[in-house]
Amino acid sequence: MRIWDLHCHLSGVAGLTPEERLGSLIKYADRVGIERLCVYMGMKWAQDPSADDLGKQNDDVLRALEKHKDRAFGFVYLSAKHVERSLSELERCVTNGPMVGVKLWVAQRCNDPMIDPIIKRAAELKAVIFQHTWFKTTANYAGESTPDDLVALAKRFPEVPIICGHTGGTWELGIRAIREQKNLFADLAGSDPTWGITEMAVRELGADRIIYGSDSGGRSFASQLAKVHGAQISDADKQKIFCDNLRNMMLPILKAKGIQA
Amino acid sequence: MNRRLFLTQAAAVSAAPLLTAADKPSGLVDCNLHLGPHPTRALPEIDEAFLAKRDITEAWAGSFEALLHRDMGAVNERLVKRCAASSRLSAVGSVNPRLPAWQTDLRLCAEKHRMPMIRLYPNHHGYTVADDVFAQLLTEATKLKLRVQIVAQLEDQRTQSPLMQVPPVDLKPLAEAMKKVPESRVMVLNANASMITTALRGCTNVWLDIAMIEGVAGVENLLTSWPADKLCFGSHAPFFYWESAALKMQESVLTEDQQNGIRLGNARALLG
Ligand SMILES: [Zn+2]
């Protein structure tokens, strides 16, 4: 089975430099059969990063990619609170750099149209768009999107594929929330490997709308791979979830950049 | 990671018959399983087929019913009946020391059901490990030669039903409580790495399982600060996909001794 990991970070893993940390991630990924890692955000995280912070974190990822471009893809970290800087980071890291996707986290809820210029430009570049979401019983952060917020955004861009990070964490709710919004894809990463997430997602969304990711280094690859390896679904569906769906989404931008994968 | 181990784990995951019988490890104890109906999810049954497919030779199983039922005697009876379905299953009864006459449940676990251990859910049952009632229970259980499993948590608080929010157990007072019962043999299930490095720091006479050890190469990393003879294979299935624990053993590079201890030897030592 080919496995690409949609969701990795340079945190929670040993290494003094970005490239050392990515090297460690790759070492562990090799043990469990993962071919490629998508990586985003830098050595020191900020939930509500300043414009300069965004630049620094993206610098970290660029530096890590430089050393490991045969194994990793980079997503540029952006924030709707800094639209101008986000647009210039997009040009620097994606248009003129090696990155192929966009990561949006918890600075600003994505239902607010202030995010729209970022989505519009990312879509023009065919960059993969990833928005973190959670439905927390214990309450979301102020700027943390729910899958419902993401549906509101996706309705404004019905032709643009967007990934629903963590499938909302509380996946029974997240899957239901995004079910009818066909341009939304479910990221399986970063929640406990609770039985049934993948079976329900396949049943409700179809295997074509589900993407494996881990949220490593904070998570183990193991617990997240288990959601697919352990699911009672067909091997053909597992292959779509492990690699094919993400690869198909990425192929246009990979081709444009002349990247073979 | 050696090739054989990789194939062992790959076989567990895909259930493909990649190995000959001679290559198979001699045993695997899964010390963290549950049977019976879960309050919020329809989970697969842990039965002989489930265990055989994964080469689990001993399965220590508690009952999800123990979380909310008050007729604990009947819960433990049903658990024993369910476990009779497979010689691999070993029933781990529960005692709730907030119930009147809990001592009867405890005695039945030891004397009638001949269980080797009991499983406790302090936060589902409304007490802490600093409470007198826990000290009493630990004392009585130890007299009856029962080992005690303490379930630190069952589910991430962020995803729990709003009507049933149960925070993780505060394990900090455990070391003190165990000092008063030096013969006690305690295993904590579903502890995560931060509980182990903070609340359980220095409390290295308890056994742990790997079900909720997260982070890349989590098992390998834990063993830099936790004794290798006090860590056991536990999956938290069927609430978790069983493959999570199996793959954790593959993601970490472990010596053969560490492998054998986690898979089998350390759990046996808890019983011994
Ligand atoms: Zn993440």
Side-chain angles (χ1 to χ4, degrees), chain B residues 62-101:
Chain B
S63 173
F64 282 129
E65 291 180 339
L67 303 178
L68 296 173
H69 284 229
R70 288 168 169 146
D71 184 358
M72 200 64 87
V75 167
N76 289 334
E77 289 278 352
R78 276 193 296 279
L79 177 65
V80 167
K81 277 203 188 110
R82 286 190 176 109
C83 287
S86 166
S87 60
R88 300 168 201 257
L89 282 166
S90 174
V92 183
S94 280
V95 176
N96 175 355
R98 288 288 184 219
L99 292 172

Coordinates of all heavy atoms in Angstrom, one line a residue, chain B residues 62-101:
Chain B
G62 N -12.2 -6.3 30.9 CA -13.2 -5.8 31.8 C -14.6 -5.6 31.1 O -14.7 -6.0 29.9
S63 N -15.5 -5.0 31.8 CA -16.8 -4.8 31.2 C -17.2 -3.3 31.1 O -17.1 -2.6 32.1 CB -17.9 -5.5 32.0 OG -19.2 -5.2 31.6
F64 N -17.6 -2.9 29.9 CA -18.1 -1.5 29.8 C -19.3 -1.3 30.7 O -19.5 -0.2 31.1 CB -18.5 -1.2 28.3 CG -17.4 -1.0 27.4 CD1 -17.3 -1.6 26.2 CD2 -16.4 0.0 27.7 CE1 -16.3 -1.4 25.3 CE2 -15.4 0.3 26.8 CZ -15.3 -0.4 25.6
E65 N -20.0 -2.3 31.0 CA -21.2 -2.2 31.9 C -20.8 -1.6 33.3 O -21.6 -1.0 34.0 CB -21.9 -3.5 32.1 CG -22.6 -4.0 30.8 CD -23.3 -5.3 31.0 OE1 -23.0 -6.1 31.9 OE2 -24.2 -5.6 30.2
A66 N -19.6 -1.9 33.7 CA -19.1 -1.5 35.0 C -19.1 0.0 35.2 O -19.1 0.5 36.3 CB -17.7 -2.1 35.3
L67 N -19.1 0.7 34.1 CA -19.0 2.2 34.2 C -20.3 2.8 34.9 O -20.1 3.7 35.7 CB -18.9 2.8 32.8 CG -17.7 2.4 32.0 CD1 -17.7 3.0 30.6 CD2 -16.4 2.7 32.7
L68 N -21.4 2.3 34.5 CA -22.7 3.0 34.9 C -23.6 2.0 35.7 O -24.5 2.5 36.4 CB -23.4 3.5 33.7 CG -22.7 4.6 33.0 CD1 -23.4 5.0 31.7 CD2 -22.5 5.9 33.8
H69 N -23.5 0.8 35.6 CA -24.4 -0.1 36.3 C -24.1 -0.1 37.8 O -23.0 0.0 38.2 CB -24.2 -1.6 35.8 CG -24.9 -1.8 34.5 ND1 -25.7 -2.9 34.2 CD2 -24.8 -1.2 33.3 CE1 -26.1 -2.9 32.9 NE2 -25.5 -1.8 32.4
R70 N -25.2 -0.3 38.6 CA -25.1 -0.4 40.0 C -25.1 -1.8 40.5 O -24.6 -2.1 41.6 CB -26.2 0.5 40.7 CG -25.9 1.9 40.5 CD -27.2 2.7 40.9 NE -26.9 4.1 41.0 CZ -27.8 5.0 40.7 NH1 -29.0 4.7 40.2 NH2 -27.5 6.3 40.8
D71 N -25.7 -2.7 39.8 CA -25.8 -4.1 40.2 C -24.5 -4.7 39.7 O -24.4 -5.5 38.7 CB -27.0 -4.8 39.5 CG -27.2 -6.2 40.0 OD1 -26.3 -6.7 40.8 OD2 -28.1 -6.8 39.5
M72 N -23.4 -4.4 40.4 CA -22.0 -4.8 39.9 C -21.9 -6.4 40.0 O -21.1 -6.9 39.2 CB -21.0 -4.1 40.8 CG -19.6 -4.1 40.1 SD -19.6 -3.1 38.6 CE -19.3 -1.5 39.2
G73 N -22.6 -7.0 40.9 CA -22.5 -8.4 41.0 C -22.9 -9.1 39.7 O -22.3 -10.0 39.2
A74 N -24.0 -8.6 39.2 CA -24.6 -9.1 37.9 C -23.6 -8.8 36.7 O -23.5 -9.5 35.8 CB -26.0 -8.6 37.6
V75 N -23.1 -7.6 36.8 CA -22.1 -7.2 35.7 C -20.9 -8.1 35.7 O -20.6 -8.6 34.6 CB -21.6 -5.7 36.0 CG1 -20.4 -5.4 35.1 CG2 -22.7 -4.7 35.8
N76 N -20.4 -8.5 36.8 CA -19.3 -9.4 36.9 C -19.7 -10.8 36.5 O -18.9 -11.5 35.8 CB -18.6 -9.4 38.3 CG -17.9 -8.0 38.5 OD1 -17.5 -7.4 37.6 ND2 -17.8 -7.6 39.8
E77 N -20.9 -11.2 36.8 CA -21.4 -12.5 36.4 C -21.5 -12.6 34.9 O -21.0 -13.6 34.3 CB -22.8 -12.8 37.0 CG -22.9 -13.0 38.5 CD -22.5 -14.5 38.9 OE1 -22.4 -15.3 37.9 OE2 -22.4 -14.7 40.1
R78 N -22.0 -11.6 34.3 CA -22.2 -11.6 32.8 C -20.8 -11.6 32.1 O -20.6 -12.2 31.1 CB -23.0 -10.3 32.4 CG -24.5 -10.5 32.4 CD -25.2 -9.4 31.6 NE -25.1 -8.1 32.2 CZ -25.7 -7.7 33.3 NH1 -26.6 -8.4 33.9 NH2 -25.5 -6.5 33.8
L79 N -19.9 -10.8 32.7 CA -18.5 -10.8 32.2 C -17.9 -12.1 32.2 O -17.3 -12.6 31.2 CB -17.7 -9.8 33.0 CG -16.2 -9.7 32.5 CD1 -16.1 -9.1 31.1 CD2 -15.4 -8.8 33.5
V80 N -18.0 -12.8 33.3 CA -17.5 -14.2 33.4 C -18.1 -15.1 32.3 O -17.4 -15.9 31.6 CB -17.7 -14.8 34.8 CG1 -17.4 -16.3 34.8 CG2 -16.8 -14.0 35.8
K81 N -19.4 -15.0 32.1 CA -20.1 -15.8 31.1 C -19.5 -15.4 29.7 O -19.3 -16.3 28.9 CB -21.6 -15.5 31.1 CG -22.3 -16.4 32.1 CD -23.8 -16.6 31.8 CE -24.5 -17.2 33.0 NZ -25.4 -16.3 33.7
R82 N -19.4 -14.1 29.4 CA -18.9 -13.7 28.1 C -17.4 -14.3 27.9 O -17.1 -14.7 26.8 CB -18.8 -12.2 28.0 CG -20.2 -11.6 27.8 CD -20.1 -10.1 27.4 NE -21.4 -9.5 27.2 CZ -22.0 -8.7 28.0 NH1 -21.5 -8.3 29.1 NH2 -23.2 -8.3 27.7
C83 N -16.7 -14.3 28.9 CA -15.3 -14.7 28.8 C -15.2 -16.2 28.6 O -14.2 -16.7 28.1 CB -14.5 -14.3 30.0 SG -14.1 -12.5 30.0
A84 N -16.2 -17.0 29.0 CA -16.2 -18.4 28.8 C -16.2 -18.8 27.3 O -15.9 -19.9 27.0 CB -17.5 -19.0 29.5
A85 N -16.5 -17.8 26.5 CA -16.6 -18.1 25.0 C -15.2 -18.3 24.4 O -15.1 -18.9 23.3 CB -17.3 -16.9 24.3
S86 N -14.2 -17.9 25.1 CA -12.8 -18.2 24.5 C -11.8 -18.4 25.7 O -11.8 -17.7 26.7 CB -12.3 -16.9 23.7 OG -10.9 -17.0 23.5
S87 N -11.0 -19.4 25.4 CA -10.0 -19.8 26.5 C -9.0 -18.7 26.6 O -8.2 -18.6 27.5 CB -9.3 -21.1 26.2 OG -8.7 -21.0 24.9
R88 N -8.9 -17.8 25.6 CA -7.9 -16.7 25.7 C -8.4 -15.6 26.6 O -7.6 -14.7 27.0 CB -7.7 -16.1 24.3 CG -7.2 -17.1 23.2 CD -7.3 -16.5 21.8 NE -7.3 -17.5 20.8 CZ -6.2 -17.8 20.1 NH1 -5.1 -17.1 20.2 NH2 -6.3 -18.7 19.2
L89 N -9.7 -15.5 26.8 CA -10.2 -14.4 27.6 C -10.1 -14.6 29.1 O -10.4 -15.7 29.6 CB -11.7 -14.1 27.2 CG -12.0 -13.4 25.9 CD1 -13.5 -13.6 25.5 CD2 -11.6 -11.9 26.0
S90 N -9.7 -13.6 29.8 CA -9.6 -13.7 31.3 C -10.5 -12.5 31.8 O -10.2 -11.3 31.5 CB -8.2 -13.5 31.7 OG -8.0 -13.5 33.0
A91 N -11.5 -12.8 32.6 CA -12.4 -11.8 33.1 C -11.7 -10.9 34.2 O -11.2 -11.5 35.2 CB -13.7 -12.4 33.6
V92 N -11.8 -9.6 34.1 CA -11.3 -8.7 35.1 C -12.6 -8.0 35.7 O -13.1 -7.1 35.0 CB -10.3 -7.7 34.5 CG1 -9.8 -6.8 35.6 CG2 -9.2 -8.4 33.8
G93 N -13.0 -8.4 36.8 CA -14.2 -7.8 37.4 C -14.0 -6.4 37.9 O -12.9 -6.0 38.1
S94 N -15.1 -5.8 38.2 CA -15.0 -4.4 38.7 C -15.6 -4.3 40.1 O -16.5 -5.0 40.5 CB -15.7 -3.4 37.8 OG -14.9 -3.2 36.7
V95 N -15.1 -3.3 40.9 CA -15.6 -3.0 42.2 C -15.8 -1.5 42.2 O -14.9 -0.8 41.8 CB -14.7 -3.5 43.3 CG1 -15.2 -3.1 44.7 CG2 -14.5 -5.0 43.2
N96 N -16.9 -1.1 42.7 CA -17.2 0.4 42.9 C -17.3 0.6 44.4 O -18.3 0.3 45.0 CB -18.4 0.8 42.1 CG -18.8 2.3 42.4 OD1 -18.1 2.9 43.2 ND2 -19.8 2.7 41.7
P97 N -16.3 1.2 45.0 CA -16.3 1.4 46.4 C -17.3 2.5 46.9 O -17.4 2.7 48.1 CB -14.8 1.7 46.8 CG -14.4 2.4 45.5 CD -15.0 1.7 44.4
R98 N -18.0 3.1 46.0 CA -19.0 4.0 46.4 C -20.4 3.3 46.5 O -21.4 3.9 46.9 CB -19.1 5.2 45.4 CG -18.0 6.2 45.5 CD -18.1 7.0 46.8 NE -17.0 8.0 46.8 CZ -16.3 8.3 47.9 NH1 -16.6 7.7 49.1 NH2 -15.4 9.3 47.9
L99 N -20.4 2.0 46.2 CA -21.6 1.3 46.3 C -21.7 0.6 47.7 O -20.6 0.2 48.2 CB -21.7 0.1 45.3 CG -21.8 0.5 43.8 CD1 -21.7 -0.7 42.9 CD2 -23.2 1.2 43.6
P100 N -22.9 0.5 48.3 CA -23.0 -0.1 49.6 C -22.5 -1.6 49.5 O -22.7 -2.2 48.4 CB -24.5 -0.1 49.9 CG -25.1 1.0 49.1 CD -24.2 1.1 47.8
A101 N -21.8 -2.0 50.5 CA -21.4 -3.4 50.5 C -20.5 -3.9 49.3 O -20.6 -5.0 48.8 CB -22.6 -4.4 50.7

